[in-house]
Amino acid sequence: QVQLVESGGGLVQAGDSLRLSCAASGRTFSSYAMGWFRQAPGKEREFVAAISRSGGAHYADSVQGRFTISRINAENTAYLQMNSLKPEDTAVYYCAATNSVRWTGLYERVYAYDYWGQGTQVTVSS
């Protein structure tokens, strides 16, 4: 089992950058695929980015070219670098993890992940 704690959210202006962190407990972080999702008020939780055990990255079309997901296994941490932020990026951001072999074809799906953090608020003002 793994516990996830997000940090790094805040209030920024459009065009600014933020880096979110997701710290994981346990000694098997490298065996987990990681994902970032977000949820705006009144909307469903949506996929943002994901990274495989080997470092392969996937992005939602809405953030492609602006966001970068990464991981440092020695630090048990995954990151989401967010550049050129827009007001529509405002949401609670969640990190998630899974060691399921099903993840490869399902990384955009909420149900593909077994563990979730508590979320961190990102607010982008215009």
Side-chain angles (χ1 to χ4, degrees), residues 28-101:
T28 59
F29 178 73
S30 60
S31 68
Y32 289 88
M34 304 296 295
W36 285 97
F37 289 74
R38 66 188 181 187
Q39 189 166 18
K43 295 187 177 182
E44 294 187 352
R45 193 168 297 190
E46 66 173 4
F47 169 74
V48 175
I51 189 165
S52 70
R53 298 164 187 79
S54 60
H58 307 273
Y59 298 95
D61 290 344
S62 59
V63 307
Q64 181 76 48
R66 299 189 298 123
F67 291 11
T68 303
I69 189 172
S70 61
R71 64 189 299 160
I72 301 179
N73 290 338
E75 296 180 358
N76 279 13
T77 303
Y79 298 96
L80 185 68
Q81 177 67 43
M82 306 186 295
N83 298 330
S84 302
L85 283 161
K86 304 175 181 180
E88 51 263 43
D89 295 319
T90 295
V92 177
Y93 283 70
Y94 299 89
C95 72
T98 183
N99 57 4
S100 170
V101 297

